[in-house]
Amino acid sequence: RCGREATGKVTMGTYLYADGEANVRLTAASDFIVEALKSLGKDKVSFAYLSSCSTSTAIPAEAIQAQESNFNTAGRWATMFGERQNCKKLDDGTFFLSGFEVLQGPNYALAQMMRQWRAALLHMEGFTVSAPMAPICRTESVVHNATMAVLLEGIAHFPPQESYDAETGR
């Protein structure tokens, strides 16, 4: 109803997270709303998502070059305990980063991929879609996991990585 009655253009932002299987349910419910809003047409509605750096995505060759440069100039700590991301080169010269972490679990992976696929499908249908990579933030939903809290506090020891306070992502 809000979309139909709005006097101007409408952007639906799907900035979602819940723990466990509730994340998949929340994503499915938002997808139902997306489907309903699509009927308003490409001139009336657009969509916005926050992509996660903990998923799989295509990245440019420049990112691989930067990774190599950073690793080669890193301090002893980073080279002893850090590792290069294993990225597969694609036929078009870009690379494929498999960024999933077992720590996050299958529900997180499924919900994130559902959102990314929906964003891609909407874009292919001609809708305006924004899906930038969200920064790594110390939100309550992340730091309630003790391992993730420690990881985010220490990530700055591996430049150029850094994590942000929750307010940065809002």
Side-chain angles (χ1 to χ4, degrees):
R1 176 178 146 198
C2 293
R4 281 191 313 275
E5 294 176 4
T7 57
K9 294 182 177 186
V10 174
T11 299
M12 179 184 173
T14 54
Y15 314 120
L16 312 168
Y17 180 78
D19 281 339
E21 55 83 26
N23 199 13
V24 176
R25 290 179 191 225
L26 186 59
T27 300
S30 75
D31 200 58
F32 180 79
I33 297 167
V34 166
E35 193 64 33
L37 282 175
K38 275 178 44 177
S39 67
L40 299 176
K42 299 170 192 130
D43 293 330
K44 176 73 173 177
V45 66
S46 60
F47 299 92
Y49 296 83
L50 286 177
S51 299
S52 171
C53 54
S54 295
T55 58
S56 295
T57 189
I59 59 173
E62 293 82 6
I64 298 298
Q65 292 165 354
Q67 173 186 238
E68 192 65 27
S69 175
N70 287 332
F71 196 83
N72 290 337
T73 59
R76 185 175 310 271
W77 175 260
T79 55
M80 282 177 43
F81 297 103
E83 64 182 55
R84 294 174 179 91
Q85 292 295 318
N86 185 13
C87 301
K88 180 181 178 185
K89 188 171 186 177
L90 305 176
D91 292 337
D92 66 357
T94 60
F95 289 78
F96 184 77
L97 167 68
S98 180
F100 286 109
E101 298 293 336
V102 174
L103 178 63
Q104 293 168 311
N107 291 311
Y108 180 84
L110 178 58
Q112 288 297 333
M113 291 314 299
M114 288 169 64
R115 293 178 204 140
Q116 286 184 8
W117 273 106
R118 175 52 87 175
L121 292 172
L122 288 166
H123 176 74
M124 289 174 52
E125 291 173 24
F127 286 92
T128 298
V129 179
S130 173
M133 201 63 66
I136 302 169
C137 293
R138 293 180 294 273
T139 61
E140 181 57 37
S141 64
V142 175
V143 298
H144 80 276
N145 177 307
T147 302
M148 288 300 293
V150 169
L151 183 141
L152 292 182
E153 287 303 318
I155 201 166
H157 293 286
F158 297 89
Q161 302 295 319
E162 55 186 308
S163 62
Y164 299 90
D165 291 333
E167 286 301 314
T168 303
R170 289 192 176 98

